[in-house]
Amino acid sequence: MNWFSRSLRIGLSTLQTAGARGPVSRSIGQRFTSTTTQGKSKSSSSNATPILIGSAILSGVVGYTIARKDTSAPSSEVVQGRRSQFGKYGTPQDFVEAVKELREAFKHGEDVVTTDPDELRIHGFSENDHHPESSHSVIVYPLSTEDVVKIVRIATKYRMPITPYSGATSLEGHFRANVAGGICVDMSHMKRILEIHEADSDLVCQPGIGWVEINETLKEKGIPLFFPIDPAPGATIGGMLSTGCSGTNAVRYGTSKAEWFLNATVVLPSGEVIKTRRRSRKSSAGFDTTKLFIGAEGTLGIVTEVTIRLAPVIPTTVAVVHFPDVRKATEAVIEVMNQGVGIQCVELLDDVFMHAVNLYGQSSRKWPELDSLFFKLQGHSQESLQESAKVVKEVVERHGGTGFRLAKDSKEADDLWHDRKNALYSGLALVEGSRGWSTDVCVPVSRLPDLVYETKQDLVNIGLVSTVVGHVGDGNFHALILFKTDEELARARDAVHRMVERAIKLDGTCTGEHGVGIGKKEFLTEELGEGTVELMRTIKRAIDPLGLFNPGKLYPDELPSKHEMAHKGNK
């Protein structure tokens, strides 16, 4: 562990204890101020106690403190022994009192606070994943940043876990409830576009709006711009930012972790509201605090407003080609990507998936049931599109590609691409009554042929029906494994673990775009190393000393220390 992490840990252990007792100042000798969304500050008259983290980081090299405003802290008896995932939460009676206070705080809003059993189940369960089911204690539907602040302060007062929820397209259990229960903050009612700046190619919106709705609105208004990050159609901006996702357009436009989120308004665990940066396209003012929250999965704050970049709409067309195996298909992609032609997307659909498309019956054509590549080509004129198609055709045919087909018009291009976008539903139709385990990994593009080929062989050997589909232009691919029984589920889980281990050994990642959540956190230390993971935990402890924000997600479970193990053994 380096000196920075070691020094922070010294101070943070003190901070956690102080966080359970009362307010902590965020600067030496300065009273805590909470910034409102109007940019005004309101001073607190609390008896805030300054905490210097890590002895000012080696004798004053860096002074750093964290604020937590708690206007009505519970009694010492209630507080005793209850702290976060690093300790305990409030008691069941505390949670009852918290729900009462939430109802009182939002008594003028219809159905803002609910404990309806059906609502609780919907918000704590997903058909998209296979993680243990658990239930939130209450669902709250905020309409503004101020509403979220109220929720956070009540959660802090009663030490109640708090989990953001929005589009519910998660595949890794991001919105699962904590085992102790807690508050589910459903952001789906905060779904307005607040400002459109066409001249600046950006847009300000609330987190509950979906990327599809944004692009439809821009098209309806005749604005020739779009937001190019395109995961599942139901994904919302807040969830996309929080998981760092991407989609089919990543080859051309990159991912959520690029520059598509210019800034975010965030409610911190302290109840303070911050805006991560201004709206200018570029800034070198300090490190990028916007990116601190991209991929943090709601563990560091709740996003209530986002400024996103937009891209110009450029004409596209679609081409499809078939291969004798996935290795030749992925090798062809590597060469195509190095030609410099206008490629927006490159998607691999294996032979089983192509069979599924035919079986599903939604396609207007009968496909050869071979491993196939779908290209979305991009260009400002028909001439440039035709030239790109010519280059792609020459390359893929050198790698054994056959039946190259270029859409004759925009309608056929849409139809061809629609078959690709039906991947999940087509795959699930292969085995009647089955459920699907959908997962993804990503590796350097040059390592992709080996990874895809070996994974496909592994999936054949386990005796379960599975499909492979991927954004192969950036080294990312997905597997959908179908199962019906618990024994088959166990086989699917083992295969997913082998797929992840294989990707990490090839200098890749356990999750290309789905996020970590519950499902992938056990692989994070192997992928990133203990030092990097500990730095992530250090940031989490600093910003959320009580550990109330989306606990149990993203950060790997900490192993007991030698001292703890020895103490346990002596009992």
Side-chain angles (χ1 to χ4, degrees):
M1 186 183 301
N2 61 32
W3 68 269
F4 176 78
S5 296
R6 188 164 56 245
S7 301
L8 273 179
R9 290 193 71 184
I10 294 170
L12 286 167
S13 62
T14 307
L15 177 60
Q16 286 176 239
T17 304
R21 289 199 301 264
V24 178
S25 173
R26 67 182 163 110
S27 61
I28 302 302
Q30 179 184 4
R31 291 179 297 174
F32 174 83
T33 59
S34 62
T35 307
T36 68
T37 52
Q38 286 75 32
K40 298 176 183 178
S41 294
K42 180 172 60 179
S43 295
S44 166
S45 59
S46 67
N47 57 341
T49 304
I51 299 294
L52 184 60
I53 297 181
S55 300
I57 310 297
L58 293 186
S59 303
V61 175
V62 179
Y64 182 74
T65 56
I66 293 296
R68 183 179 64 79
K69 182 178 180 181
D70 188 348
T71 56
S72 181
S75 67
S76 59
E77 291 80 6
V78 175
V79 168
Q80 186 64 32
R82 32 169 237 193
R83 274 185 278 133
S84 76
Q85 67 189 81
F86 317 110
K88 295 182 179 178
Y89 303 108
T91 65
Q93 184 57 41
D94 290 332
F95 288 10
V96 170
E97 294 300 320
V99 172
K100 288 180 182 178
E101 193 159 326
L102 285 167
R103 292 190 188 281
E104 180 63 25
F106 295 99
K107 62 183 178 182
H108 300 299
E110 185 177 351
D111 298 326
V112 174
V113 180
T114 180
T115 55
D116 178 81
D118 291 337
E119 284 289 298
L120 293 176
R121 186 179 188 278
I122 290 170
H123 286 75
F125 172 77
S126 173
E127 289 285 352
N128 295 330
D129 67 50
H130 313 287
H131 306 299
E133 194 172 339
S134 54
S135 180
H136 302 285
S137 306
V138 60
I139 315 296
V140 188
Y141 296 87
L143 296 176
S144 65
T145 298
E146 291 84 356
D147 285 354
V148 175
V149 171
K150 290 179 187 177
I151 297 166
V152 169
R153 287 181 174 164
I154 291 171
T156 300
K157 176 179 176 179
Y158 293 98
R159 305 302 189 262
M160 201 168 183
I162 186 168
T163 301
Y165 179 101
S166 189
T169 59
S170 160
L171 293 170
E172 298 296 350
H174 298 91
F175 58 82
R176 280 286 197 269
N178 183 267
V179 291
I183 303 170
C184 177
V185 183
D186 188 326
M187 306 297 288
S188 61
H189 291 187
M190 293 180 64
K191 55 182 180 182
R192 293 187 298 125
I193 293 176
L194 303 175
E195 301 170 12
I196 299 175
H197 306 114
E198 183 176 356
D200 296 324
S201 297
D202 68 46
L203 175 154
V204 184
C205 63
Q206 293 180 311
I209 191 169
W211 67 273
V212 171
E213 287 78 11
I214 286 173
N215 287 341
E216 287 175 347
T217 299
L218 292 169
K219 186 175 182 180
E220 289 168 3
K221 290 180 176 294
I223 298 174
L225 299 169
F226 79 119
F227 186 59
I229 309 300
D230 65 333
T236 63
I237 294 298
M240 293 164 67
L241 184 152
S242 295
T243 57
C245 69
S246 51
T248 62
N249 285 332
V251 170
R252 169 67 176 82
Y253 294 103
T255 73
S256 295
K257 293 194 174 184
E259 297 295 327
W260 295 104
F261 294 104
L262 290 177
N263 64 41
T265 299
V266 185
V267 179
L268 298 177
S270 64
E272 183 179 6
V273 180
I274 65 165
K275 190 167 186 175
T276 56
R277 56 172 278 192
R278 297 286 185 172
R279 194 168 58 83
S280 57
R281 184 58 62 92
K282 59 192 290 189
S283 170
S284 59
F287 58 81
D288 194 337
T289 51
T290 306
K291 283 191 170 65
L292 182 64
F293 297 95
I294 299 176
E297 301 184 3
T299 65
L300 302 180
I302 298 178
V303 176
T304 61
E305 189 177 299
V306 186
T307 301
I308 59 175
R309 278 183 60 191
L310 304 173
V313 175
I314 300 174
T316 62
T317 191
V318 175
V320 184
V321 62
H322 314 289
F323 292 84
D325 59 57
V326 291
R327 185 188 293 277
K328 291 185 180 298
T330 48
E331 287 172 346
V333 169
I334 295 172
E335 186 173 346
V336 167
M337 295 305 299
N338 287 331
Q339 298 302 307
V341 294
I343 303 292
Q344 182 170 320
C345 312
V346 187
E347 298 293 293
L348 169 69
L349 285 64
D350 74 350
D351 56 342
V352 181
F353 173 78
M354 299 304 290
H355 170 66
V357 172
N358 289 335
L359 188 67
Y360 190 47
Q362 297 298 307
S363 178
S364 60
R365 60 192 53 77
K366 188 76 171 179
W367 287 104
E369 295 180 358
L370 299 170
D371 300 314
S372 305
L373 291 177
F374 282 55
F375 291 90
K376 184 175 282 189
L377 308 175
Q378 188 182 74
H380 288 280
S381 66
Q382 282 300 314
E383 291 75 15
S384 63
L385 289 172
Q386 291 290 334
E387 180 62 27
S388 292
K390 179 182 177 182
V391 173
V392 171
K393 184 174 185 293
E394 291 173 353
V395 172
V396 297
E397 287 179 349
R398 286 202 295 269
H399 290 270
T402 59
F404 183 87
R405 177 174 186 164
L406 181 67
K408 63 179 181 292
D409 54 32
S410 59
K411 182 183 183 306
E412 185 177 16
D414 289 342
D415 289 344
L416 292 173
W417 200 249
H418 181 72
D419 288 347
R420 157 61 189 98
K421 297 300 281 185
N422 266 334
L424 177 62
Y425 304 105
S426 299
L428 289 171
L430 284 169
V431 179
E432 186 177 354
S434 67
R435 294 185 66 192
W437 186 308
S438 182
T439 191
D440 85 315
V441 293
C442 189
V443 295
V445 177
S446 64
R447 314 303 298 271
L448 191 62
D450 290 338
L451 176 64
V452 174
Y453 186 80
E454 291 173 16
T455 299
K456 190 166 172 59
Q457 292 302 309
D458 189 12
L459 295 176
V460 169
N461 292 337
I462 66 174
L464 298 178
V465 176
S466 60
T467 65
V468 167
V469 57
H471 318 316
V472 289
D474 55 14
N476 180 206
F477 87 99
H478 303 250
L480 174 66
I481 308 173
L482 304 181
F483 64 90
K484 297 177 75 171
T485 67
D486 288 344
E487 186 274 332
E488 290 178 344
L489 172 59
R491 271 191 277 158
R493 181 180 289 107
D494 290 343
V496 169
H497 287 190
R498 289 193 297 273
M499 175 178 164
V500 169
E501 296 285 352
R502 201 176 291 121
I504 293 174
K505 288 178 181 177
L506 292 173
D507 207 13
T509 176
C510 64
T511 173
E513 60 183 14
H514 293 170
V516 176
I518 296 171
K520 295 288 181 70
K521 68 179 185 177
E522 66 180 285
F523 302 107
L524 221 57
T525 301
E526 180 180 354
E527 177 179 330
L528 302 177
E530 181 58 42
T532 301
V533 169
E534 182 57 28
L535 179 59
M536 292 169 64
R537 289 197 191 105
T538 298
I539 294 169
K540 166 69 171 174
R541 295 186 189 105
I543 296 176
D544 183 19
L546 298 176
L548 297 180
F549 273 45
N550 211 12
K553 320 297 169 36
L554 180 61
Y555 310 96
D557 297 331
E558 294 189 75
L559 297 174
S561 66
K562 291 181 180 179
H563 173 76
E564 290 170 329
M565 291 294 289
H567 179 70
K568 184 177 180 181
N570 292 332
K571 286 188 175 181

